[in-house]
Amino acid sequence: MIDPFGRRISYLRLSVTDRCDLRCTYCMPERMTFLPRAELLDLSELDRLAAAFIRKGVRKLRLTGGEPLVRKDVMTLVGGLSRFLASGALDELTLTTNGTRLAEHAAELARFGVRRVNVSLDSLNPETYARITRGGRLEQVVAGIDAALAAGIGVKLNAVALRGDNLDDLVGLAEWAHARGAELTMIEVMPMGPVEAERIDQHVPMSEVRHRFEQRWTLTDLARRTGGPARYVRTDEGGTIGFIAPLSRNFCADCNRVRVTCTGELYMCLGQAARADLRTPLRVSADDALLDAAIDEAIGRKPNGHEFVIRAGRRPAVERHMSVTGG
Ligand code: SAM
């Protein structure tokens, strides 16, 4: 799959549910409306979709949500998809999780060939964590991270920098991650979907976040590129920190990814409305010809890049919440 800008698409993020057991203040409103369950793709449809993308050249598949581990049958899906690791068709099968249920599933994920997971964790202060997540229990996530590491799964922590919330916790979070052999990636808040707070009050540019780490360590820029938006540094104690700055630095030139929601909508760019319905072609025919054609048509109009802007009183750059596409 090559898009109009010559970018090869080799990475699919597949959302398996829009539901989540947390309500992070920057992600969704407290009273979030979720989709009726009947609208979600079933397991065989999710599997067929993933298989179609893999046939077309996807080498990395990330399950996301909502919270992927709240979907009851998700481990059956992971188990089925692991055949693509065994055959060599996929290089990596992974997931992004909030970690609350990771302790239950870590050993099985490892057995299915999951080698790394991203865990979202914005603070190690139990009160701050509970406030940001609106009720999350930090100890569950820590237990999940420890279980993943014990099962031999590498962990990358993702943290969103939030003004007035977790800025004082970030150095501690990096120290904690590095002590466990984990990486930390910092993310700027993006204007996706309405939440109670003003985005402009939440947003912290990555330059400011970096400055905080520079008070603690000397940082060396790394040349490492993963095909993703993060830029990495190494601390003088050997830990790695990534920075994702969608607002202060545009990184779309290397974009290798697309996203499919749990209802089978393909989004070709995180920061644009462009999408394609894959559920209809999936459902009208057991043959994959229509599905393949719909994917090809959509890749042929992948936007050049996102246009995130945060201004006071301005509507979100995209109307959907991050929980629709899973980041
Ligand atoms: N539940 C899983 C998790 O917590 O990682 C997967 C879905 S969650 C929507 C994916 C990531 O998006 C999380 O790291 C979360 O912090 C991040 N996120 C959510 N809303 C965001 C926003 N408006 N700006 C930046 N990151 C956001």
Side-chain angles (χ1 to χ4, degrees):
M1 291 180 285
I2 310 270
D3 81 358
F5 303 93
R7 297 170 296 195
R8 184 177 295 277
I9 309 306
S10 58
Y11 181 9
L12 172 67
R13 294 185 171 207
L14 179 58
S15 171
V16 300
T17 177
D18 66 325
R19 285 163 199 260
C20 190
D21 52 345
L22 301 178
R23 296 285 183 278
C24 298
T25 49
Y26 56 86
C27 184
M28 57 175 81
E30 189 160 14
R31 292 173 189 280
M32 181 71 172
T33 312
F34 295 109
L35 293 164
R37 283 211 170 75
E39 289 202 15
L40 268 55
L41 299 183
D42 68 23
L43 275 194
S44 63
E45 291 168 331
L46 288 169
D47 188 281
R48 230 179 109 197
L49 254 181
F53 277 94
I54 292 166
R55 215 170 40 240
K56 288 179 166 295
V58 158
R59 305 285 314 172
K60 176 171 173 179
L61 176 58
R62 177 180 299 280
L63 302 183
T64 179
E67 170 48 40
L69 296 180
V70 304
R71 180 157 173 160
K72 284 201 183 62
D73 47 12
V74 69
M75 294 309 291
T76 312
L77 179 68
V78 178
L81 293 173
S82 67
R83 71 186 182 279
F84 294 111
L85 290 173
S87 73
L90 261 190
D91 296 328
E92 187 172 14
L93 175 59
T94 184
L95 69 163
T96 298
T97 174
N98 61 29
T100 60
R101 300 186 185 198
L102 194 50
E104 285 163 54
H105 298 297
E108 200 176 9
L109 287 170
R111 266 203 307 284
F112 287 146
V114 172
R115 294 280 160 262
R116 299 191 306 168
V117 291
N118 287 4
V119 180
S120 303
L121 179 58
D122 300 321
S123 175
L124 283 169
N125 176 317
E127 285 87 47
T128 307
Y129 180 76
R131 185 176 68 246
I132 293 175
T133 56
R134 296 190 175 109
R137 289 173 44 215
L138 179 69
E139 69 272 17
Q140 288 181 331
V141 184
V142 171
I145 293 169
D146 287 342
L149 293 171
I153 298 177
V155 172
K156 195 182 87 181
L157 296 187
N158 284 334
V160 178
L162 299 163
R163 174 112 28 230
D165 250 327
N166 64 352
L167 294 187
D168 292 336
D169 305 340
L170 300 180
V171 167
L173 194 57
E175 287 173 336
W176 188 86
H178 294 161
R180 282 166 174 70
E183 292 184 3
L184 171 68
T185 293
M186 295 302 314
I187 307 174
E188 275 179 16
V189 78
M190 296 172 228
M192 297 193 63
V195 292
E196 289 83 352
E198 280 285 341
R199 292 295 187 190
I200 201 164
D201 297 333
Q202 296 179 317
H203 181 254
V204 186
M206 277 300 111
S207 52
E208 186 180 330
V209 174
R210 182 179 170 133
H211 185 68
R212 288 194 169 244
F213 293 118
E214 283 169 342
Q215 307 293 302
R216 167 71 177 79
W217 292 292
T218 302
L219 304 180
T220 307
D221 288 307
L222 299 178
R224 171 173 150 196
R225 295 279 184 276
T226 58
R231 294 295 173 262
Y232 295 92
V233 298
R234 172 150 309 132
T235 74
D236 48 15
E237 291 181 313
T240 303
I241 303 174
F243 297 98
I244 299 182
L247 281 94
S248 45
R249 185 161 40 72
N250 191 302
F251 42 59
C252 304
D254 303 329
C255 185
N256 62 352
R257 62 198 60 194
V258 291
R259 298 165 169 87
V260 175
T261 70
C262 59
T263 56
E265 283 190 314
L266 169 60
Y267 281 94
M268 290 80 91
C269 172
L270 181 64
Q272 297 278 1
R275 66 178 183 208
D277 166 33
L278 300 184
R279 188 172 60 179
T280 306
L282 258 179
R283 289 191 173 167
V284 295
S285 154
D287 183 305
D288 283 337
L290 288 178
L291 176 62
D292 286 356
I295 295 172
D296 291 344
E297 183 278 328
I299 299 298
R301 55 187 173 87
K302 181 172 160 67
N304 191 12
H306 65 245
E307 290 152 13
F308 287 130
V309 182
I310 291 183
R311 269 194 226 113
R314 195 185 139 116
R315 293 189 65 75
V318 291
E319 288 295 327
R320 63 183 188 277
H321 291 98
M322 187 73 100
S323 56
V324 174
T325 49

